[in-house]
Amino acid sequence: MAEPGSSAAAVVPLLLLCFLAVSSVNADPLLSAPLNVTIREIEVNSAMVTWEILEGDPVIGFAITQQKKDVRMLRFIQEVNTTTRSCALWDLDEDTEYIVHVQSISMGGSSPPSEPVLFRTAKESEKMSSKSPDEVTMEEVGQAAQLRAGELIIIVVVLIMWAGVIVLFCRQYDIIKDNEPNNNKDKAKNSSEYSTPEHPRGGLLRSNV
């Protein structure tokens, strides 16, 4: 009697073979499988798959098969009327292995699947520890922008206060300067009242004995 684990493991390649067989029914014999399939920008819950095609292939789209390793469930992504050579893989599980196939699509059908590519998503702990000190996230950029805006407001307020102080000083200086001629006249008048009068002939007045 076969064990449950062995029967489940046998179902996985069977499903994959069925999918490839269905794909081959509508296959375009003149279309080549994508080349240089590569997984880039591997994150905890996402990744980016890129590929190349042979020059001259009448490609109008692509189809991607995404499968967890040793798991029967598949995700099928298809796009037409596009010339892009990359696709984002989203909603992935942390620290999990995935297998990816890519097919080109033309008006006559689809190409054979590309060579399978195996990759593993990152761990949250490893992602945090691998972050370099110089790496800045969008949230940190927003916080830095808010700090710069606050500093700019403080500088503007200080400049306005200094301008107000300078204006007040200039006004006080103008008032003091305007009062100086009046003070000089008062001083000259007061000094002339206490001075010795002169004789009309140039001599000093003398009292008669």
Side-chain angles (χ1 to χ4, degrees), residues 12 15-16 19-20 23 44-49 62-69 71-79 87-94 96-103 113 117 119 121:
V12 175
L15 288 176
L16 186 59
F19 172 78
L20 296 179
S23 299
V44 177
N45 303 116
S46 63
M48 180 72 69
V49 55
F62 62 85
I64 295 174
T65 305
Q66 169 192 318
Q67 175 194 3
K68 287 184 182 180
K69 186 179 179 182
V71 177
R72 290 175 290 178
M73 182 170 25
L74 300 174
R75 173 183 285 175
F76 186 69
I77 305 171
Q78 180 172 314
E79 292 287 342
C87 179
L89 306 177
W90 67 95
D91 197 22
L92 305 180
D93 293 337
E94 176 186 356
T96 303
E97 288 186 325
Y98 287 89
I99 301 173
V100 172
H101 295 84
V102 182
Q103 290 177 276
V117 177
F119 73 96
T121 54

Side-chain angles (χ1 to χ4, degrees), residues 11 15 30 48 51 53-54 66 68 72 77 88 107 124 128 139 142-143 148 157 161 165 191 196 202 205:
V11 171
L15 288 176
L30 301 179
M48 180 72 69
W51 63 89
I53 62 172
L54 290 179
Q66 169 192 318
K68 287 184 182 180
R72 290 175 290 178
I77 305 171
M107 297 298 294
E124 185 68 31
M128 295 299 295
E139 182 178 359
Q143 293 177 354
R148 286 195 295 269
V157 171
M161 293 177 62
V165 171
S191 62
T196 304
L205 294 177

Side-chain angles (χ1 to χ4, degrees), residues 49-53 57 59-62 82-87:
V49 55
T50 62
W51 63 89
E52 299 176 0
I53 62 172
D57 279 357
V59 177
I60 62 170
F62 62 85
T82 179
T83 58
T84 184
R85 300 292 178 263
S86 63
C87 179

Side-chain angles (χ1 to χ4, degrees), residues 13-197:
L14 180 61
L15 288 176
L16 186 59
L17 289 175
C18 291
F19 172 78
L20 296 179
V22 172
S23 299
S24 61
V25 171
N26 297 324
D28 186 350
L30 301 179
L31 200 60
S32 302
L35 306 173
N36 299 327
V37 179
T38 307
I39 306 298
R40 307 177 185 273
E41 303 176 16
I42 300 176
E43 304 289 344
V44 177
N45 303 116
S46 63
M48 180 72 69
V49 55
T50 62
W51 63 89
E52 299 176 0
I53 62 172
L54 290 179
E55 185 176 357
D57 279 357
V59 177
I60 62 170
F62 62 85
I64 295 174
T65 305
Q66 169 192 318
Q67 175 194 3
K68 287 184 182 180
K69 186 179 179 182
D70 300 331
V71 177
R72 290 175 290 178
M73 182 170 25
L74 300 174
R75 173 183 285 175
F76 186 69
I77 305 171
Q78 180 172 314
E79 292 287 342
V80 293
N81 297 327
T82 179
T83 58
T84 184
R85 300 292 178 263
S86 63
C87 179
L89 306 177
W90 67 95
D91 197 22
L92 305 180
D93 293 337
E94 176 186 356
D95 191 25
T96 303
E97 288 186 325
Y98 287 89
I99 301 173
V100 172
H101 295 84
V102 182
Q103 290 177 276
S104 297
I105 299 177
S106 69
M107 297 298 294
S110 59
S111 71
S114 65
E115 293 293 329
V117 177
L118 177 67
F119 73 96
R120 177 185 290 273
T121 54
K123 291 183 180 180
E124 185 68 31
S125 57
E126 293 177 353
K127 189 65 178 177
M128 295 299 295
S129 62
S130 64
K131 180 181 177 182
S132 63
D134 297 333
E135 185 178 354
V136 180
T137 62
M138 293 302 297
E139 182 178 359
E140 293 171 346
V141 170
Q143 293 177 354
Q146 292 178 356
L147 291 176
R148 286 195 295 269
E151 293 173 355
L152 182 60
I153 292 174
I154 294 174
I155 293 173
V156 171
V157 171
V158 171
L159 291 176
I160 292 174
M161 293 177 62
W162 273 107
V165 171
I166 293 173
V167 170
L168 291 175
F169 176 79
C170 292
R171 289 182 178 177
Q172 293 295 330
Y173 178 77
D174 292 337
I175 293 173
I176 296 172
K177 188 175 181 181
D178 292 339
N179 291 333
E180 282 184 355
N182 296 330
N183 293 334
N184 292 334
K185 290 180 182 180
D186 293 339
K187 289 180 181 178
K189 183 178 180 180
N190 293 333
S191 62
S192 62
E193 290 177 354
Y194 295 102
S195 62
T196 304

